[in-house]
Each structure stands twice: as C-alpha cells, then as structure tokens.
Amino acid sequence: MMNFKEFWTKKTLIGLGLGQLLSFLITSTGFTSSELAKKGVNAPTSQSFLNYVFLAIIYGSIVLYRKKALKAKWYYYIPLGLVDVEANFLVVKAYQYTSLTSVMLLDCWSIPSVMVLTWIFLKTKYRFRKIVGVVVCVAGLVVVIFSDVHAGDRAGGSNPRKGDSLVIAGAILYAISNVSEEFLVKHADRVELMALLGLFGAIISAIQISILERNELKSIQWSVGAALPFVGFAVAMFLFYSLVPILLKINGSTMLNLSLLTSDMWSVLIRIFAYNEKVDWMYFVAFAAVTAGLVIYSGGDREDQRRADVADEDAEQSKRFDEESGSGSRNQGTIAGSSKTGECSKHDNTAISVAGREYVESKDMGKDVQGKKS
C-alpha cells in the first residue's frame, strides 16, 4: 500500500506546478484570441507566426553560438513543424463552426491519442494508478462541460459536424506533435528542438498565410488595440513552447495534456476576478477533480524510482558477482599453475640433489681407488 508521502516527490511537485503554469499560459492565449475575434480578426495562422519567429531567433542564436553539430537530423523537424502549425490552425478554426463546449470535449481526444502513441513508439508503460488519474481528470472536465453553465452554448455553431471534425483532427495532430517533441527532447536537445521547430514553423506559417490569410491581414484596421492582442498571444505562446519540453522530459506527454485540462478552470478565475462574473459551483468541483486526477497520475514516482534503484542495484551486484567469479577462476588457474610449477621445481631439485650426491660419491670412490693403487 502506498503511503501518502509517496506522492510528494520533487518530480511530482515540479510537474504539477509547471503543468499549471502552462495551463495558465494557454488560458492567456485563449483570452487574447477572443479579444482578436471581438475585433473581427480571423487569422489563426498569423497569430502563431510571430511565436515561431521568436523561437527561431532566440533559440537559433543559441544554437549558432554553440557551434555544435545537431543531435538529430535537421529534416526531422520539417514534419514536426508542419504538424504543429496545422494543429493550431485546425483547433482555432473550429470555433467558427462549432460550440465552445464541443471544442472542449473533443479536444480531450488528444489524451488517449497521446497514451496510445507513447505506448507504441516510446514504449511507455501505464500502470493502473496512472489510468485512474486520467479517468478522474477527464471526468472532472466532463462535469464542467455538461453543467448548466454551458447549457446555452450547446446549440451553438453554424456547422457542428465540420467543426467537430476539425477539433478531432487537431487533437490528433497535437498528440503527434507532443509525442514527437517528447522523443526529441529526450534523445536530442531542447534548445535545438525549439530553434528548428521555430524555423520550420515560421516558414510553413508564412507560406500558409500568403495563401489563406493574405486578404484577411489587408482588411485589418491596425491600431494599438489590435496589435497588443497579437503581441500578447505571441509572448504567451513563446513562453508556453519554451516550457513544454521541460515538462515533457520530466513527466511526459500525457501529463502535459492532463495539465492543460485545467485551462478552463483558470479562465473561470479570470472571469471572476477580472470581469466580476458569477460562475456555477460545479466549476470548483471539476477543478478539484482534475487536480486530484493530476496528483494520482503523477504520484508514486518515489516508489517507481525505488524500484528502478533496486533493479539497478541488483544489476550491479550481478555484474560484480560475475567479475568476482571470473577473477576467482583466474586465481584458481594461477594457483594451480603455481603448484604444478612448485611440484616440478621440487622434482628438479630432488633430481639435482641425487645427481650431486652420486657425483660426489663417484669422485670419492675414484680417490679411494687411486689411493689403493698408490
């Protein structure tokens, strides 16, 4: 039975704290996007473009300063950049066709997608406790979605089927992007990942903007009020992208996606304190459920680490035993050889002694014979 203290490891606390910071940043991007929508701006790819430029300039400068060879092939980052750009585009685009509730619900599809992909490609093993944590998190979000708070939102959307399809496709692409980033950050380098993701993301975004959003950008009445949400979105996304690889390396893709479920809860707090809005009490129940699910999922790392340490210790003892066995066999061979050499030496010494005595005796006998003759 696991002690409650097993949950509160350094790894768990860092994962929970960092996950909520990322969730808050995502909430910030949502509010800046809503401000742009209120101003009639509909350019999802253009919003992400500045973020990719920031990543390419800042992290690319670090890569150039290092003057080291890339740890992963540069062309691996091209499909990652494409998947990431299109995932952002599809989910933002879906808000034009379906309701906020549907987007929230269907966006959860990224969680089972991530679990399946990490299980297949990264060989991640999910114990029963982690599966329970995922179920509790999703259940908490479902409480929000089907609460009376969203009752008037369920019928929204001009083309729900199209919007829902866009969300599902975007969720799958998010899952692919997260798992790919987890693989690269664990086997390559975080700075390299950010630099090349930003470079190819910016190039792909620029091409897509020139094709799909060129006229939209021309029609925007640019002012400080229109530019600030763009910059705010880019800064929040830059911080989000910079911190995501750290959480991926510590806790993995599933923990990231579970943490982002609380973004809706953060939006509620912003609505309460910034806009003085009243919200349904079910939000707080859902927030507690999601938090509990995150703790259940990420908890027990100390137990897992202890098992890993025991396995490493057993392996080390086995290795030491093998080395001692081999050394013992060599020593026995040396001792056996030495004893044989000793026996041979004894035989040789005995033979020499006998020969010496015979030589002395024969010499004395010769003297006696000469004495008798004389």
Side-chain angles (χ1 to χ4, degrees), residues 155-278:
S158 59
N159 191 342
R161 290 185 179 180
K162 183 177 181 179
D164 294 348
S165 300
L166 291 175
V167 176
I168 293 175
I172 294 174
L173 291 181
Y174 273 136
I176 296 172
S177 176
N178 293 156
V179 174
S180 301
E181 288 183 31
E182 180 180 350
F183 175 82
L184 289 170
V185 79
K186 289 181 178 179
H187 295 83
D189 180 71
R190 182 177 71 90
V191 175
E192 174 186 312
L193 168 63
M194 291 292 96
L196 293 181
L197 175 60
L199 175 62
F200 292 114
I203 294 173
I204 294 170
S205 295
I207 295 172
Q208 187 160 307
I209 290 170
S210 65
I211 298 173
L212 300 178
E213 299 178 5
R214 182 175 53 188
N215 294 329
E216 181 67 29
L217 292 177
K218 290 180 180 179
S219 63
I220 296 175
Q221 299 296 324
W222 290 103
S223 63
V224 176
L228 282 179
F230 256 95
V231 176
F233 180 90
V235 171
M237 286 295 285
F238 172 77
L239 294 174
F240 177 81
Y241 273 69
S242 298
L243 296 174
V244 160
I246 299 176
L247 184 61
L248 290 175
K249 190 169 185 177
I250 297 174
N251 297 92
S253 304
T254 305
M255 181 64 177
L256 169 64
N257 284 271
L258 291 175
S259 297
L260 297 183
L261 292 181
T262 60
S263 60
D264 188 61
M265 316 306 172
W266 286 112
S267 67
V268 171
L269 295 178
I270 293 175
R271 286 161 54 188
I272 292 174
F273 294 103
Y275 300 102
N276 296 319
E277 294 183 10
K278 293 183 179 181

Side-chain angles (χ1 to χ4, degrees), residues 14 47 125 130 133 136 146 160 170 199 241 268 271 315 320 366:
I14 292 175
Q47 291 178 218
K125 295 181 180 180
K130 292 187 177 294
V136 173
F146 290 102
L199 175 62
Y241 273 69
V268 171
R271 286 161 54 188
R320 191 181 303 117

Side-chain angles (χ1 to χ4, degrees), residues 48 77-78 94 118 123 132 141 144 147 152 183 199 205 265 302 316 319 321 334 350 361:
S48 302
Y77 295 96
I78 297 178
T118 52
K123 308 301 179 185
V132 171
L141 186 63
V144 174
S147 67
F183 175 82
L199 175 62
S205 295
M265 316 306 172
R302 185 177 301 170
E316 184 66 25
K319 182 180 179 180
F321 176 77
T334 304
T350 304
E361 290 175 354

